[in-house]
Amino acid sequence: MWPFGKSTADRVKDALGEQPRLKDLGLQVQEKGGNVTVTGMVPNDRFGSLVKVVAEGINGVKSVDTSGLIAQEAPQQAQAAPQNSAPQDAGPSASANTVSSGPASAQTEIAPTSSAKPAAASSMDAEIKEMEDRSKIAKAVHQAIRNNGELKDDPIDVLQSGKSVILRGVVDNDHEQRLAEKLAREVAGVSGVDISGLRVAEGAKELTKEKDQETGDTVYTVQSGDTLGAIAQKYYGNAAEYKKIAHYNNISNPDLIKVGDQIKIPG
C-alpha cells in the first residue's frame, strides 16, 4: 500500500493510467532521486505536456523528463504553393486547381489552400487541453499541501479525476486529514475531493523522513528490540512482508539484524 508499498515510479504510472488518453500507451517510467523519466510512443507531441503535468502531482517528484517520448504523428508544417509550375501545354486536362488567366504559357497552378485540421485532430486537441488544464488544478492542490507547514512532510499524492481531485497517502492524525481536504477544496477549479485513499497512521512523517539519496528509497534505522517482522508491520501493515525487506537488502538470515543497521524499504 502507498506510501510504503509502491515506488515513486509505480505511482507515476498509476497517475498516468488514470488519464483516458494515456492509460493504453504503455509508457515506461523510471525514477532516480526524485527525477522522473517517461519514455514511449505517443500519438503526437501534444501529449508531452500532459504527461509532465500529471507526473508533477506525485509526491517526491522533483523533475519530469519527457524528451524520450516519440510522437507517431509529425507536426504539421505549412507548405508554400508552387509558383508558375504548370506545364506550358496545359489545356483541358489540367488540374482542377489550375486557374487560366490568359494564354497557356501564363497559367499558374495554385496549390490547395486548406489548412484546417481534420475534425478528429481538433477534437483530440481540445480533449488534451482540457485534461491538461484539470491536471494543472491537481498540481496546484499538490503545491498547496507542500506549502503547508503541517502537511509538507506527509507523503501525499494528488491525482485528477474529471473536475475532482483524489488524495492518496498517509497523514499522522485526523486533523491533518481534514486539513488536507480543506486545502484541496480551496483551490480554484476543484469541484470535489476524494480522501478515501488518504489514511491516518501515527508517526507517518517519521517513518518516511529518511531517504536514500541515490534511489529515493525510504530508509529505516534498526532500533533496540526490532525484528524484520515488526518493521514490515510498521511499513506495510503486514509482518509477513519481512521477506520482501530481507530480499531487497540481501539479508540472508532475517533473525540477524543489528541496532543501527540501515534498511531500505522497497516499493
Side-chain angles (χ1 to χ4, degrees):
M1 67 182 74
W2 163 241
F4 312 118
K6 282 194 174 182
S7 65
T8 301
D10 284 339
R11 289 183 288 109
V12 170
K13 285 182 183 179
D14 285 348
L16 297 177
E18 301 214 9
Q19 294 292 338
R21 284 289 185 181
L22 301 175
K23 65 178 183 178
D24 297 323
L25 297 180
L27 299 179
Q28 300 300 308
V29 180
Q30 294 181 318
E31 180 267 341
K32 185 174 182 180
N35 301 307
V36 171
T37 301
V38 184
T39 57
M41 302 289 291
V42 292
N44 54 59
D45 57 359
R46 296 183 292 275
F47 280 71
S49 57
L50 176 60
V51 167
K52 185 172 183 178
V53 75
V54 170
E56 287 174 341
I58 300 303
N59 186 66
V61 173
K62 298 176 182 177
S63 68
V64 182
D65 180 2
T66 59
S67 62
L69 293 176
I70 301 174
Q72 294 171 306
E73 174 190 306
Q76 293 184 349
Q77 296 181 350
Q79 294 183 353
Q83 298 295 321
N84 299 324
S85 58
Q88 293 299 312
D89 60 349
S93 61
S95 165
N97 291 316
T98 300
V99 177
S100 298
S101 58
S105 60
Q107 291 175 1
T108 301
E109 183 177 317
I110 301 176
T113 58
S114 174
S115 60
K117 292 183 179 179
S122 297
S123 175
M124 180 183 289
D125 275 353
E127 185 179 346
I128 292 295
K129 179 65 166 60
E130 183 179 3
M131 287 193 292
E132 185 179 344
D133 289 344
R134 290 178 179 176
S135 292
K136 286 179 179 177
I137 294 173
K139 181 182 175 182
V141 172
H142 183 264
Q143 192 60 50
I145 290 173
R146 296 276 72 78
N147 289 341
N148 182 271
E150 293 181 75
L151 300 175
K152 64 184 179 69
D153 295 322
D154 285 321
I156 301 173
D157 287 346
V158 184
L159 288 74
Q160 171 260 328
S161 177
K163 295 182 180 179
S164 300
V165 293
I166 301 170
L167 304 186
R168 288 181 183 169
V170 63
V171 291
D172 279 335
N173 49 56
D174 292 335
H175 162 70
E176 290 187 351
Q177 188 185 56
R178 292 191 297 270
L179 177 58
E181 181 180 7
K182 177 176 180 291
L183 289 174
R185 291 189 183 281
E186 290 175 348
V187 173
V190 173
S191 63
V193 181
D194 179 356
I195 62 169
S196 60
L198 185 61
R199 66 186 182 92
V200 175
E202 185 178 351
K205 285 187 182 68
E206 192 62 33
L207 288 177
T208 60
K209 185 177 181 180
E210 194 170 357
K211 301 286 185 182
D212 183 274
Q213 293 302 310
E214 271 298 305
T215 65
D217 287 325
T218 295
V219 176
Y220 177 76
T221 302
V222 176
Q223 309 295 314
S224 178
D226 275 339
T227 65
L228 278 189
I231 295 170
Q233 182 67 41
K234 288 180 181 179
Y235 284 97
Y236 300 116
N238 182 359
E241 293 287 350
Y242 78 89
K243 296 178 182 178
K244 178 191 294 185
I245 299 176
H247 177 74
Y248 195 70
N249 290 272
N250 296 315
I251 299 174
S252 57
N253 187 343
D255 294 326
L256 293 180
I257 56 174
K258 300 176 182 178
V259 173
D261 284 350
Q262 291 196 317
I263 296 176
K264 295 179 183 178
I265 308 300

